[in-house]
Amino acid sequence: MAAGPPRDAPCSRGHTVSLRALGAAGIAAAALSLAACGGDGEPRETVTVLAAASLTDAFGELAAAFEARNPDVTVRVSFAGSATLRTQALEGAPADVFASASPDEVEALEAAGLVVEAQGLATNTLVVAVAEDAGSRIAAFEDLAGPGLRLVLAAAEVPAGRYARESLALADASGSYGPGFATRVLANVRSNEANVRATLAKVELGEADAAIVYASDLAGGAPEGVRAVAIPERFQVAAEYRIALLSEGDAARAFVAFVTSPEGEAVLARHGFAPVGVTP
């Protein structure tokens, strides 16, 4: 996987297939077609992907696997908060594929006429990442309302931040943790970060006692000095990831088909994501 400048001009134009029809056989056929585009040994086409920060590990593996099968294709992935990537795409940043942690960003691109096709990608849930040195002060979700706690969230316009606030609102409405629970928790917020990875990093660096992040962020085991505290199921908000094709290139279509294939789902599952319609 590489990161760099805008994609090269595709070696063939006008030859596209529907994502719905492009199964395993279609992926293989597309790969063979791409491999036959030339013989100078240089990459024939670049697929530029804008992907949510929470997809960093999973899409790194997926991009590498796709490149291994398609040696004439380079996949360049840019990771950031979904809201940031949406703005970049709307302002004309070159991209063939857009993968967001919520449907809202894809809908914004659809409204702007930038989406060729879109579909569900995966689902995710939330968890509290807690610094080990926070000790017994944070043993349960309700403890986030404790006075003096240093809490970090993703910014409200970022999907992870939006989901976190929705979860707090559910808990508040239930009355389970006393009046004004969400207000008390939000009073502890010390910073609002640009993406969920930056949110988790605050806890890892000892700059926060806790953060609300995705379960996938801790799926491979919590980082050193960090432990996970579950959010009760009744207060969970399912994060719905979507992937959109923004260009007509065969390689971009093949990449989306690969990511959403059973093999792609297996990679996502290893990184803590669940298939569309299934709660992790």
Side-chain angles (χ1 to χ4, degrees):
M1 181 186 66
R7 67 182 179 88
D8 303 325
C11 56
S12 63
R13 298 181 182 273
H15 301 290
T16 59
V17 293
S18 169
L19 284 175
R20 298 176 182 84
L22 192 58
I27 296 172
L32 289 173
S33 174
L34 290 166
C37 284
D40 59 4
E42 295 298 323
R44 309 301 191 276
E45 189 166 1
T46 297
V47 177
T48 302
V49 181
L50 302 181
S54 52
L55 292 167
T56 299
D57 297 334
F59 264 49
E61 182 176 340
L62 288 164
F66 185 80
E67 287 183 339
R69 297 182 179 200
N70 300 275
D72 292 328
V73 180
T74 297
V75 180
R76 302 187 187 278
V77 190
S78 177
F79 298 102
S82 297
T84 297
L85 297 174
R86 175 201 64 210
T87 299
Q88 291 176 356
L90 289 173
E91 291 180 349
D96 301 297
V97 177
F98 181 85
S100 170
S102 94
D104 295 353
E105 282 68 32
V106 173
E107 289 171 3
L109 299 189
E110 287 177 324
L114 299 179
V115 175
V116 177
E117 296 181 24
Q119 60 185 293
L121 174 63
T123 61
N124 209 341
T125 53
L126 300 173
V127 69
V128 182
V130 178
E132 290 286 2
D133 59 12
S136 60
R137 287 190 299 146
I138 311 173
F141 183 49
E142 62 189 280
D143 295 332
L144 293 182
L149 186 75
R150 298 178 301 161
L151 178 66
V152 174
L153 300 178
E157 65 271 16
V158 177
R162 191 161 63 242
Y163 294 135
R165 288 166 176 80
E166 289 174 7
S167 179
L168 293 172
L170 288 174
D172 190 70
S174 76
S176 299
Y177 304 139
F181 172 70
T183 299
R184 287 183 283 127
V185 173
L186 292 174
N188 286 331
V189 174
R190 296 296 182 263
S191 68
N192 294 283
E193 300 299 316
N195 61 68
V196 73
R197 287 302 177 96
T199 303
L200 178 59
K202 289 287 187 178
V203 180
E204 293 181 76
L205 295 171
E207 297 176 11
D209 299 315
I212 298 178
V213 300
Y214 292 122
S216 63
D217 293 312
L218 303 181
E224 185 177 355
V226 179
R227 58 187 170 87
V229 170
I231 294 177
E233 186 175 350
R234 65 188 186 279
F235 305 139
Q236 278 288 353
V237 177
E240 180 186 346
Y241 286 65
R242 289 185 66 77
I243 188 166
L245 179 68
L246 306 184
S247 75
E248 295 282 3
D250 286 348
R253 286 179 174 273
F255 179 74
V256 172
F258 174 67
V259 169
T260 56
S261 71
E263 184 175 350
E265 287 184 353
V267 172
L268 289 164
R270 285 201 298 275
H271 291 279
F273 298 89
V276 175
V278 177
T279 301

